[in-house]
């Protein structure tokens, strides 16, 4: 069974089974696990599916052998866009770069795009997460109008930088944009637990951003170990419920944390 060496900050070397690495990445990236061999000769495997919308799915592949042959095969069988991990590091040759451009696809070198947490959980590092977020944004369909934002006038060209969110209390927020304003309960934003109707973690995270004036770094008390995944989920829920395209919360390299594109504040 093939193994892959992962770097770690304390310079201890870990060798981990490749399927286990990707199963861990799938859990932290919210991908649907779909690991199976596609081409044995090239070491081409399909790992998972990333659902950009109910109708648009992004296939995730891994190549441990001949990258050019794998890219040529994928290009021949479909004109779809892919995310492709390769087990080898280093820069791509000119031919591989050209094929990826023609396929409108993106590649990641596994040794350079992953990090190993203290609990042995493998995840994409911040740089890879930012590249993936930008790539997903390019290929995601525009959100469909949502009846939940009825009463909030959102012009078609509205961006998140023009949005203001103010926490009124622990259960409601006021959203203002382009001179229009509406109060939302967390249940109207898809942030209620289906079993007990209590707020989910994304609502609590939104409040943490409000308490920190829209900024959350690893030093903040609200920055839990799974803040990356929860921020991704919060992004999805805000986009879906308010019908505003783009990314609402982005990773900011300068602060090594996340920053809301919109303005947000807590009551009082």
């Amino acid at each position: 069974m093939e193994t892959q060496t992962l770097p770690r900050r304390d310079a201890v070397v870990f060798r981990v089974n490749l399927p286990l690495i990707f199963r861990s990445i799938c859990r932290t990236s919210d991908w649907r696990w779909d690991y199976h061999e596609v081409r044995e000769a090239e070491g081409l495997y399909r790992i998972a599916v990333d659902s950009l919308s109910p109708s648009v799915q992004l296939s995730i592949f891994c190549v441990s052998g001949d990258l050019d042959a794998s890219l040529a095969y994928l290009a021949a069988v479909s004109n779809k866009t892919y995310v492709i991990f390769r087990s080898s590091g280093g820069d791509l040759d000119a031919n591989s770069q050209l094929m990826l451009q023609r396929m409108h696809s993106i590649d990641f070198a596994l040794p350079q795009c992953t990090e190993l947490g203290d609990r042995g959980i493998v995840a994409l590092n911040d740089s890879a997460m930012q590249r993936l977020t930008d790539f997903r944004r390019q290929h995601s369909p525009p959100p469909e109008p949502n009846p939940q934002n009825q009463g909030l006038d959102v012009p078609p060209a509205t961006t998140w930088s023009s949005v203001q969110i103010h926490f009124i209390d622990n259960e409601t927020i006021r959203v203002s944009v382009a001179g229009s304003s509406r109060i939302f309960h967390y249940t109207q934003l898809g942030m209620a637990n289906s079993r007990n109707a209590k707020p989910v973690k994304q609502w609590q995270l939104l409040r943490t951003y409000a308490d920190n004036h829209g900024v959350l770094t690893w030093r903040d008390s609200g920055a839990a170990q799974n803040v990356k995944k929860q921020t991704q989920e919060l992004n999805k829920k805000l986009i879906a419920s308010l019908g505003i395209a783009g990314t609402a919360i982005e990773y900011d390299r300068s602060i090594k944390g996340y920053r809301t594109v919109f303005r947000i504040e807590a009551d009082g």
Side-chain angles (χ1 to χ4, degrees):
M1 180 69 70
E2 184 172 354
T3 60
Q4 178 67 41
T5 301
L6 291 177
R8 194 177 181 183
R9 288 187 296 273
D10 58 9
V12 175
V13 175
F14 287 81
R15 294 183 66 81
V16 187
N17 180 288
L18 267 179
L20 294 181
I21 291 176
F22 285 115
R23 188 175 287 277
S24 180
I25 292 175
C26 281
R27 286 197 299 267
T28 57
S29 302
D30 198 27
W31 295 337
R32 177 169 60 83
W33 178 254
D34 186 30
Y35 192 93
H36 62 272
E37 185 178 77
V38 177
R39 298 273 288 184
E40 180 180 5
E42 291 83 14
L44 176 63
Y45 293 81
R46 174 161 149 158
I47 303 164
V49 175
D50 184 9
S51 296
L52 304 184
S53 75
S55 60
V56 179
Q57 295 185 332
L58 194 62
S59 293
I60 316 293
F61 287 90
C62 173
V63 179
S64 60
D66 190 330
L67 178 62
D68 285 353
S70 296
L71 294 178
Y73 169 78
L74 291 174
V77 298
S78 173
N79 60 355
K80 293 183 178 180
T81 297
Y82 306 108
V83 173
I84 301 171
F85 288 90
R86 49 191 172 94
S87 57
S88 60
D91 297 330
L92 292 179
D93 59 39
N95 186 55
S96 295
Q97 293 181 27
L98 181 60
M99 282 196 287
L100 280 169
Q101 291 174 7
R102 288 175 176 173
M103 296 166 65
H104 304 287
S105 298
I106 189 172
D107 86 294
F108 292 92
L110 196 60
Q112 298 166 2
C113 72
T114 52
E115 59 186 11
L116 186 62
D118 294 334
R119 297 182 180 181
I121 298 175
V122 183
L124 298 180
N125 58 32
D126 293 330
S127 176
M129 279 300 303
Q130 187 62 55
R131 282 189 67 209
L132 183 62
T133 298
D134 293 342
F135 182 76
R136 294 178 84 253
R137 185 188 309 158
Q138 294 173 13
H139 296 280
S140 296
E144 297 180 359
N146 193 305
Q148 289 182 336
N149 70 2
Q150 185 177 0
L152 183 67
D153 184 14
V154 180
T158 298
T159 61
W160 282 103
S161 60
S162 63
V163 175
Q164 292 181 274
I165 295 179
H166 175 83
F167 264 83
I168 298 174
D169 54 38
N170 290 331
E171 296 186 351
T172 55
I173 58 174
R174 180 183 295 278
V175 180
S176 302
V177 55
S180 179
S181 179
R182 185 191 167 187
I183 294 176
F184 289 89
H185 191 265
Y186 67 84
T187 57
Q188 296 173 288
L189 300 169
M191 299 191 199
N193 188 303
S194 59
R195 291 173 296 178
N196 55 26
K198 292 183 178 180
V200 294
K201 291 181 180 179
Q202 292 84 44
W203 178 260
Q204 299 165 1
L205 182 61
L206 184 64
R207 178 59 192 246
T208 301
Y209 277 109
D211 291 336
N212 288 276
H213 306 289
V215 174
L216 189 58
T217 68
W218 309 130
R219 296 184 296 274
D220 296 318
S221 59
Q225 193 169 24
N226 63 347
V227 68
K228 293 180 185 178
K229 180 177 180 179
Q230 294 301 331
T231 294
Q232 291 173 5
E233 289 301 311
L234 178 56
N235 257 316
K236 292 178 183 178
K237 291 183 183 299
L238 289 174
I239 292 169
S241 57
L242 299 180
I244 301 173
T247 302
I249 306 172
E250 296 181 337
Y251 180 75
D252 188 336
R253 292 186 179 89
S254 65
I255 62 172
K256 296 182 179 179
Y258 291 90
R259 186 189 300 275
T260 61
V261 179
F262 52 87
R263 291 177 57 189
I264 186 169
E265 58 184 8
D267 54 303

